[in-house]
Amino acid sequence: MTVTKKDKYTADSIQILEGTEAVRKRPGMYIGDVGVRGLHHLVFELVDNSIDEVMAGYCDYIYVELRKDGGVVVLDNGRGIPVDIHPQAKKPALEIVLTTLHAGGKFSNSIYKISGGLHGVGLSVVNALSKRLEVEVMRDGKVYYQAYEKGKPITPLTEKGSTDKTGTKILFYPDPDIFETTKFDYEIIANRLRELAFLNPGVTIELKDENTGKSNVFKYEGGLIQFMEYLSKGKEVLHDPFYFKREEENLVIEVVLQYNTGYDELILSYVNNIHTIEGGTHVTGFRSALTKVVNSFARSWGLWKEAESLSGEDVREGLTAIISTKVPNPQFEGQTKTKLGNSEVKKFVEKVVEEELTEYFTKNPDIGKLIIGKIIEAYRARQAARKARELVRRKSLLESTLLPGKLADCSEKDPSKCELFIVEGESAGGSAKQARDRRYQAILPLRGKILNVEKAQHLTKILSSEEIKTIIASLGTGIGQDFDLSKLRYHKIIIMTDADVDGAHIRTLLLTFFYRHFRPLIEGGYVYIAQPPLYFLRKGKEERYAYSEEEKEEILKEWGYPDNVYIQRYKGLGEMDPDQLRETTMDPQKRILLQVTIEDALEAERLFSILMGNNVEERRNFIEQKAKFVRNLDI
Ligand code: 0RA
């Protein structure tokens, strides 16, 4: 698709200009941010539109391509965006959809069309934030084409051939004037497409990266049941997944659940294919029905006789569940607009889950008893942990003002200015102490490998590890039910490990520990990973550091591959002298920190299970890769 700019086509509607300008002026209002997340939102917006066609029953194939020239293609075999002239606007419907804010919904006949939040903002937003966008529609035996720049048409809608196919193809180039980065991350896109393929069984979603040759085809006839199998990989499960789907008065609910021998709760919830990270009424309805049915069967089977009921927390220990609902006019609330607010959904989900689960337990008493037995164990363990915690709390009242001896604290007391470096090994710890700015940088050296938290999750055991106790005391927040974020002593907690396999392992253990027991620290963006350089290069008087193999190659190329070059590969932090460590890794003016975020709680959870679970092969594969949930932050 190429077109020359000679026949420049100017839009004459003020409304169109306003729409485009508003989006370009305040992109954050429409796509959340202009960083990595916002950039990927553009692709997801296009794919969501194609998924609407899938849900309406007219489309079963979506193709996404990351092109070498930085463009992204999203193609589907749906009906094609209508091209007929809109009587009032006197313009093709296609052009209105691509240039008018919130025009998308009016042209869609999907009752589950998303509105509100960051979803369903429409093609016009993607268009406005693209330096160039080309659309091809196949409809009524013809191929139509139009090109845009920064949201404005630069060609009229033209017929450019005939076809027996139908569908929509959009190629866009994100505008570098808007986005901090225009480089797409294959894994981020693959994760969302995989999720969409699980949620819409039968659709084929293909992803190809022309830059790396990577590709995936996602197609899951088994839908949510296959999604569950994917999540349960590496976990020891108690039974086959329990699945049901119901539809009443335009509300659709689909649930799959499975218990495993672990201690974690993972409930993934969706509304009209949107991942509701903050849950909402569908999740509340599910939880309350589950707790009710479990308690009722526990008593009627004579397994539970105490006055106190089994709590929701106990009931969900070791539970993985996926709840997918379809809701007309969903209301999204909460900080990230991913919490469902519709109250009718709670009643509906609660009723249906209660009925279905009752039938399941009645027909499968052996499984029911196995599950309830595990829940009762969870109850007992929680009681024991409570007692242990009270003991620790009483003890720590005496110790609470005493910081661990290994901690080299900083002098500044304002947590927002303070940084804690958790450093692998005593020798690196020593260098870090010399390299730091002692006013606001504290150093905590760790010896050996810390506890593998996945395998010993109950608080009682975790609290008995010396290394863990040291970390908890340094953070100042307390743990478990005592956790208090406002007591956090450092607003940057920086994990600094060697750039080798052992370092990767320790980093993973620490991240797992934070993920499991200090999740608010990750969610709040307090946890970072330091990036020490991999190489030191010198040519004559010029000295450079390289943080990756590619960067080393780039520097050598820049220098024209000279003979008189000195290259040192750093195997550990200990090989750098304090000045080098400060300059490359610790000085806020020069260092690179990666902020640890849970962009995708789903993927993070699964990765942690793979990492720490029983599957040695997958764990090794992962450790050799870079942590995917880590995103670039301040340079
Ligand atoms: C409005 C109406 C119709 C289809 C679409 C929109 C549509 C939009 C997109 C966006 C990406 N792919 C799409 N495919 C279809 C249906 C019009 C009709 O009745 O044929």
Side-chain angles (χ1 to χ4, degrees):
M1 289 204 289
T2 48
V3 89
T4 53
K5 255 165 97 176
K6 66 178 191 299
D7 46 1
K8 191 150 182 121
Y9 177 81
T10 44
D12 51 3
S13 158
I14 290 166
Q15 198 201 344
I16 289 172
L17 292 174
E18 270 180 3
T20 303
E21 245 93 89
V23 176
R24 290 183 62 84
K25 211 165 162 187
R26 293 213 155 125
M29 292 243 311
Y30 300 89
I31 54 162
D33 61 62
V34 290
V36 172
R37 192 186 296 237
L39 177 76
H40 289 79
H41 202 89
L42 301 182
V43 183
F44 300 151
E45 182 58 41
L46 295 186
V47 174
D48 281 351
N49 281 285
S50 300
I51 287 287
D52 280 346
E53 270 301 272
V54 173
M55 285 201 280
Y58 296 100
C59 171
D60 66 2
Y61 178 75
I62 300 171
Y63 174 74
V64 179
E65 181 180 292
L66 305 178
R67 296 178 29 143
K68 279 213 170 95
D69 62 5
V72 180
V73 173
V74 177
L75 173 154
D76 68 55
N77 68 347
R79 289 166 294 179
I81 303 176
V83 290
D84 47 306
I85 303 291
H86 190 272
Q88 274 107 53
K90 299 190 176 61
K91 283 191 175 119
L94 172 74
E95 191 174 318
I96 299 171
V97 168
L98 277 164
T99 53
T100 318
L101 277 176
H102 302 298
K106 274 184 242 150
F107 289 88
S108 163
N109 49 10
S110 162
I111 59 163
Y112 304 119
K113 178 81 199 167
I114 305 111
S115 56
L118 298 179
H119 290 270
V121 289
L123 299 180
S124 65
V125 171
V126 178
N127 196 11
L129 301 177
S130 296
K131 77 173 179 222
R132 183 180 179 84
L133 181 145
E134 298 176 20
V135 58
E136 243 180 62
V137 167
M138 291 174 281
R139 238 183 115 92
D140 315 321
K142 299 193 179 79
V143 183
Y144 299 89
Y145 171 87
Q146 192 170 26
Y148 293 80
E149 278 179 11
K150 300 183 179 180
K152 291 171 196 148
I154 55 162
T155 74
L157 181 67
T158 44
E159 266 184 54
K160 64 169 231 184
S162 52
T163 179
D164 56 357
K165 298 200 180 84
T166 66
T168 305
K169 176 179 174 182
I170 293 175
L171 162 65
F172 76 97
Y173 299 83
D175 191 340
D177 293 343
I178 302 274
F179 292 96
E180 289 161 11
T181 168
T182 53
K183 199 171 176 316
F184 289 95
D185 181 324
Y186 188 88
E187 294 302 326
I188 294 177
I189 295 172
N191 286 339
R192 174 62 179 156
L193 298 185
R194 181 185 300 109
E195 185 178 43
L196 284 169
F198 279 131
L199 292 167
N200 297 278
V203 70
T204 302
I205 308 182
E206 207 173 332
L207 172 63
K208 207 177 266 175
D209 186 345
E210 288 289 321
N211 303 287
T212 59
K214 263 196 241 178
S215 71
N216 277 99
V217 179
F218 301 113
K219 182 179 196 208
Y220 305 104
E221 296 287 356
L224 290 198
I225 296 175
Q226 257 181 298
F227 197 170
M228 179 60 81
E229 285 162 5
Y230 175 78
L231 292 177
S232 290
K233 211 168 169 186
K235 290 180 183 164
E236 199 181 321
V237 297
L238 293 187
H239 57 96
D240 288 340
F242 165 48
Y243 168 86
F244 70 84
K245 178 174 183 175
R246 276 252 222 130
E247 190 164 352
E248 280 170 31
E249 294 170 24
N250 285 339
L251 289 175
V252 185
I253 170 133
E254 213 180 338
V255 169
V256 63
L257 68 82
Q258 187 171 39
Y259 278 89
N260 61 67
T261 56
Y263 306 104
D264 283 310
E265 164 189 344
L266 175 65
I267 298 181
L268 298 181
S269 64
Y270 298 86
V271 175
N272 305 350
N273 290 318
I274 297 170
H275 185 186
T276 37
I277 296 165
E278 295 176 83
T281 49
H282 51 332
V283 177
T284 315
F286 170 82
R287 287 175 166 204
S288 99
L290 180 66
T291 306
K292 189 172 164 193
V293 174
V294 164
N295 271 287
S296 150
F297 275 86
R299 288 194 193 279
S300 75
W301 280 335
L303 301 170
W304 189 245
K305 299 197 171 71
E306 304 199 10
E308 196 183 342
S309 292
L310 296 161
S311 74
E313 228 179 310
D314 297 327
V315 166
R316 295 189 301 272
E317 196 174 285
L319 171 72
T320 308
I322 308 163
I323 306 165
S324 173
T325 55
K326 299 279 156 63
V327 178
N329 302 314
Q331 302 302 311
F332 290 107
E333 308 168 342
Q335 243 183 345
T336 57
K337 293 269 177 251
T338 59
K339 183 177 180 183
L340 184 68
N342 304 49
S343 58
E344 74 276 14
V345 177
K346 174 172 187 285
K347 284 186 223 117
F348 167 67
V349 173
E350 197 168 0
K351 181 191 79 140
V352 172
V353 173
E354 193 178 329
E355 288 170 7
E356 293 285 346
L357 207 56
T358 299
E359 187 186 328
Y360 178 67
F361 279 175
T362 306
K363 285 190 178 157
N364 303 279
D366 292 352
I367 295 174
K369 284 171 189 167
L370 200 64
I371 291 172
I372 291 171
K374 173 180 165 90
I375 292 168
I376 291 172
E377 254 176 57
Y379 175 92
R380 305 257 182 251
R382 211 176 297 281
Q383 296 293 85
R386 197 166 297 150
K387 288 202 186 102
R389 201 165 47 238
E390 272 156 20
L391 270 177
V392 172
R393 191 186 301 152
R394 250 176 270 138
K395 225 170 64 186
S396 65
L397 270 180
L398 301 169
E399 297 167 356
S400 62
T401 50
L402 300 176
L403 285 167
K406 288 166 65 174
L407 175 73
D409 207 3
C410 52
S411 53
E412 173 65 52
K413 292 293 173 238
D414 176 358
S416 69
K417 296 187 183 131
C418 294
E419 302 179 344
L420 174 67
F421 283 83
I422 300 179
V423 186
E424 167 193 3
E426 303 283 351
S427 82
S431 299
K433 278 181 202 169
Q434 291 178 59
R436 70 175 173 151
D437 184 329
R438 59 171 58 242
R439 285 171 302 176
Y440 62 92
Q441 292 181 321
I443 309 293
L444 178 65
L446 288 187
R447 194 178 334 159
K449 300 218 165 152
I450 63 161
L451 187 71
N452 186 339
V453 280
E454 169 83 10
K455 287 195 178 137
Q457 280 174 341
H458 273 297
L459 219 43
T460 343
K461 268 198 198 157
I462 286 161
L463 289 174
S464 63
S465 151
E466 280 309 316
E467 301 295 314
I468 294 284
K469 275 196 235 174
T470 310
I471 297 173
I472 299 169
S474 303
L475 296 175
T477 55
I479 188 168
Q481 286 177 344
D482 299 330
F483 179 83
D484 181 354
L485 187 59
S486 71
K487 296 210 176 105
L488 183 64
R489 301 179 62 250
Y490 311 91
H491 283 192
K492 283 204 170 82
I493 299 147
I494 302 164
I495 299 170
M496 189 158 77
T497 55
D498 290 343
D500 60 7
V501 174
D502 276 349
H505 191 209
I506 289 172
R507 184 173 65 219
T508 304
L509 289 171
L510 282 168
L511 283 177
T512 309
F513 172 66
F514 282 119
Y515 178 78
R516 300 261 182 235
H517 301 285
F518 289 95
R519 201 170 301 180
L521 298 187
I522 295 185
E523 284 164 349
Y526 298 111
V527 184
Y528 297 82
I529 291 173
Q531 290 286 284
L534 277 182
Y535 291 100
F536 172 72
L537 298 95
R538 186 168 50 219
K539 186 192 72 165
K541 280 200 171 127
E542 200 176 349
E543 295 182 343
R544 299 274 288 272
Y545 296 99
Y547 292 83
S548 63
E549 294 293 336
E550 294 87 53
E551 209 178 335
K552 180 192 78 177
E553 283 307 308
E554 262 168 43
I555 294 170
L556 289 175
K557 192 170 158 195
E558 196 184 303
W559 284 351
Y561 300 101
D563 296 325
N564 58 338
V565 65
Y566 168 78
I567 305 178
Q568 182 188 359
R569 190 188 199 294
Y570 292 124
K571 283 184 213 74
L573 297 163
E575 289 179 20
M576 270 180 264
D577 62 44
D579 284 341
Q580 286 178 320
L581 187 60
R582 179 187 310 116
E583 191 180 337
T584 59
T585 317
M586 294 178 70
D587 180 354
Q589 304 302 318
K590 296 181 185 142
R591 71 190 177 193
I592 298 170
L593 286 186
L594 296 175
Q595 187 177 34
V596 179
T597 64
I598 308 182
E599 287 246 9
D600 190 341
L602 153 65
E603 191 60 9
E605 213 294 328
R606 202 182 70 86
L607 291 178
F608 278 114
S609 301
I610 289 172
L611 282 170
M612 298 304 155
N614 304 322
N615 195 329
V616 178
E617 182 63 26
E618 286 224 37
R619 181 170 12 170
R620 205 178 30 234
N621 287 344
F622 176 79
I623 287 173
E624 284 162 12
Q625 295 172 30
K626 202 175 113 224
K628 287 291 180 341
F629 39 84
V630 163
R631 301 275 162 253
N632 219 331
L633 187 75
D634 68 51
I635 309 247

